[in-house]
Amino acid sequence: MSWDQVWIDINIATMSPNISEPYGAIKDAALAVKDGKIAWVGERSKLPEFDVLATPIYKGKGGWITPGLIDAHTHLVFAGNRANEFELRLQGASYEEIARSGGGIISTVKACREADEAELFELGRQRLNALAKEGVTTVEIKSGYGLDIETELKLLRVARELGKHHHVDVKTTFLGAHAIPPEYKNDSDAYVDLVINEMLPQVIAEDLADAVDVFCENIAFSLAQTERVLTAAKDAGLDIKLHAEQLSNLGGSAMAAKLGAKSVDHIEYLDEDGVKTLSESGTCATLLPGAFYFLRETQQPPIELLRQYQVPMVVASDYNPGSSPMCSSLLMLNMACTLMRLTPEEALAGMTRNAAKALGIETQVGVIEAGMTADFCLWNISTPAELSYTYGVGSCIEVVKNGRLVHQ
Ligand code: NIG
Ligand code: FE
């Protein structure tokens, strides 16, 4: 066998559904990489013979390898911050009240309109570094803090540039329908027209987005408006997804699922009929425990129903300045377990296998199997549950991206 690198003295949480052990685990394993792909994975005792003198051999000191983590929902390109609103909320104001009085998303929009691409790029780069340090190898980044053509395109261009210049892969999502901008305060339908007829064609012409998202909520876009945007996106051949059922139940999830959405996100208020619709359409349910925590939500997403109907659960950071200013993958694994009662195995599936499905890249990444892209992490842990159990100890010791060692 001729390989580019071989890993031994490792255990592997493959997260493959084809291995019946919890976490798809293979203990005392070996893994071989060739041309950026996983070439062989299995028990070390079964490792085929290879040229030990010509092949770099990495020893994992008995740690665990997992697929590279995938953060499938972030808003990480933005300027400014909203610490002032954090203080207001501590004095009793609600997220909704702040949004209605012109703060919230709109205050970040002001900062983003003023910022130039270089500034946004540097801020985004620092945040990507923070995620990468904790094992993230793929991230989704949304626009949505521009709400005019120029700024929406600027945010998406910056996101695309980050993907070109950072080892972390970036999937971009156009979220022009994130909030109603002040200029269209009294005519939200006209803003939806702008999103569909002017922004979307430009986004497509410049190939700036892989998917389209909308915030479907009383403080944002109605069900009918949301359906118009998602239908236009779908007709243009883009993936669709939705911020839905975060603060109330408008039926956005079921509508988006029927249109073939890859995921519906937040979903604290999703009901059983909605869950059924997700399972029928193969739509993922993205849980955002950072926003649940930071907004001190009490309405639990319907975890037991999602299990019952076998809807793939995704866990993501939703990193943004308003509702989830926590730029951490491992903290999300922990919060998914402590706040939403996921098992550590479900949480890890939510940032690997299921996150890949939510981004439509499940044939390339998210599990450790021969033929998949060689995106994986080595952790200094003695059981995979430690990933969600403890936080802040720097347990990610190596990251391999496309078969290249990127972090030591
Ligand atoms: O995912 N829900 C809508 N959008 C973001 C919050 C954005 C903000 O407050 O800046 C979210 O939670
Ligand atoms: Fe979000």
Side-chain angles (χ1 to χ4, degrees):
M1 287 292 163
S2 137
W3 287 321
D4 298 337
Q5 61 184 256
V6 170
W7 290 74
I8 55 171
D9 293 349
I10 50 169
N11 304 291
I12 306 180
T14 66
M15 301 313 284
S16 167
N18 303 321
I19 295 179
S20 58
E21 290 296 306
Y23 300 93
I26 307 173
K27 298 227 176 103
D28 196 6
L31 185 161
V33 174
K34 173 84 179 167
D35 295 334
K37 299 247 193 286
I38 295 167
W40 189 91
V41 57
E43 286 166 30
R44 185 180 175 178
S45 61
K46 299 190 179 136
L47 181 66
E49 272 183 36
F50 65 99
D51 186 345
V52 288
L53 295 178
T55 313
I57 299 174
Y58 297 96
K59 294 187 180 166
K61 296 185 186 159
W64 281 80
I65 280 183
T66 68
L69 301 186
I70 301 168
D71 192 345
H73 179 142
T74 85
H75 307 245
L76 74 72
V77 175
F78 63 86
N81 74 66
R82 309 233 292 271
N84 60 327
E85 292 178 10
F86 180 49
E87 290 186 308
L88 286 175
R89 286 202 298 114
L90 286 166
Q91 288 158 20
S94 73
Y95 183 68
E96 208 163 330
E97 279 160 10
I98 290 170
R100 287 191 189 284
S101 66
I105 293 172
I106 298 303
S107 65
T108 301
V109 168
K110 287 185 191 131
C112 288
R113 288 179 180 179
E114 280 162 24
D116 64 23
E117 286 191 24
E119 191 181 338
L120 289 162
F121 180 90
E122 180 51 24
L123 289 165
R125 195 182 65 81
Q126 287 166 18
R127 296 163 188 156
L128 268 190
N129 284 344
L131 292 174
K133 246 171 117 173
E134 291 187 351
V136 171
T137 49
T138 303
V139 74
E140 182 258 17
I141 303 177
K142 301 174 196 296
S143 67
Y145 289 123
L147 310 184
D148 61 24
I149 298 187
E150 191 191 328
T151 317
E152 284 296 310
L153 295 177
K154 177 170 74 179
L155 295 172
L156 288 171
R157 282 190 203 113
V158 169
R160 278 276 194 248
E161 281 304 300
L162 285 166
K164 283 183 202 151
H165 292 94
H166 204 287
H167 74 261
V168 171
D169 271 332
V170 173
K171 288 282 188 183
T172 59
T173 300
F174 171 53
L175 177 59
H178 191 198
I180 296 148
E183 308 86 76
Y184 288 85
K185 211 173 164 187
N186 300 314
D187 195 358
S188 58
D189 281 328
Y191 181 65
V192 173
D193 291 340
L194 183 80
V195 168
I196 294 173
N197 300 326
E198 296 189 42
M199 291 188 187
L200 187 59
Q202 287 236 42
V203 167
I204 292 168
E206 282 190 49
D207 189 23
L208 289 176
D210 303 304
V212 172
D213 191 350
V214 177
F215 185 17
C216 181
E217 193 55 69
N218 287 317
I219 54 168
F221 296 90
S222 71
L223 190 64
Q225 291 172 329
T226 302
E227 186 165 13
R228 284 183 59 207
V229 177
L230 293 187
T231 304
K234 186 187 170 183
D235 290 348
L238 292 171
D239 283 345
I240 55 171
K241 56 178 80 175
L242 191 61
H243 281 73
E245 272 72 70
Q246 180 187 10
L247 308 169
S248 61
N249 185 353
L250 297 189
S253 298
M255 180 273 291
K258 284 183 194 145
L259 287 176
K262 290 269 178 218
S263 73
V264 292
D265 304 30
H266 285 290
I267 59 157
E268 279 84 346
Y269 285 83
L270 186 65
D271 59 20
E272 183 161 0
D273 283 344
V275 174
K276 253 190 231 168
T277 315
L278 298 190
S279 83
E280 284 157 12
S281 61
T283 301
C284 297
T286 301
L287 306 168
L288 303 173
F292 179 87
Y293 155 80
F294 194 67
L295 298 182
R296 302 183 78 225
E297 296 293 347
T298 51
Q299 173 79 25
Q300 283 281 344
I303 303 298
E304 205 40 62
L305 287 169
L306 293 168
R307 284 186 184 126
Q308 202 181 308
Y309 287 93
Q310 298 184 331
V311 175
M313 290 187 277
V314 176
V315 173
S317 72
D318 194 17
Y319 180 66
N320 76 71
S323 67
S324 187
M326 286 79 206
C327 196
S328 165
S329 55
L330 297 181
L331 185 56
M332 296 308 131
L333 292 182
N334 174 270
M335 286 182 176
C337 298
T338 54
L339 301 177
M340 296 176 169
R341 315 312 287 166
L342 264 63
T343 66
E345 186 181 357
E346 286 172 329
L348 187 57
M351 285 204 119
T352 55
R353 186 178 69 233
N354 294 346
K357 185 168 160 55
L359 296 181
I361 50 177
E362 69 273 29
T363 58
Q364 298 146 51
V365 292
V367 297
I368 299 207
E369 283 174 3
M372 302 294 275
T373 300
D375 284 9
F376 56 86
C377 309
L378 174 69
W379 306 87
N380 179 21
I381 53 176
S382 54
T383 147
E386 271 180 63
L387 292 179
S388 31
Y389 156 74
T390 186
Y391 168 73
V393 290
S395 54
C396 182
I397 46 180
E398 302 284 4
V399 174
V400 171
K401 175 74 195 168
N402 292 321
R404 268 193 331 114
L405 210 54
V406 291
H407 165 269
Q408 291 189 66

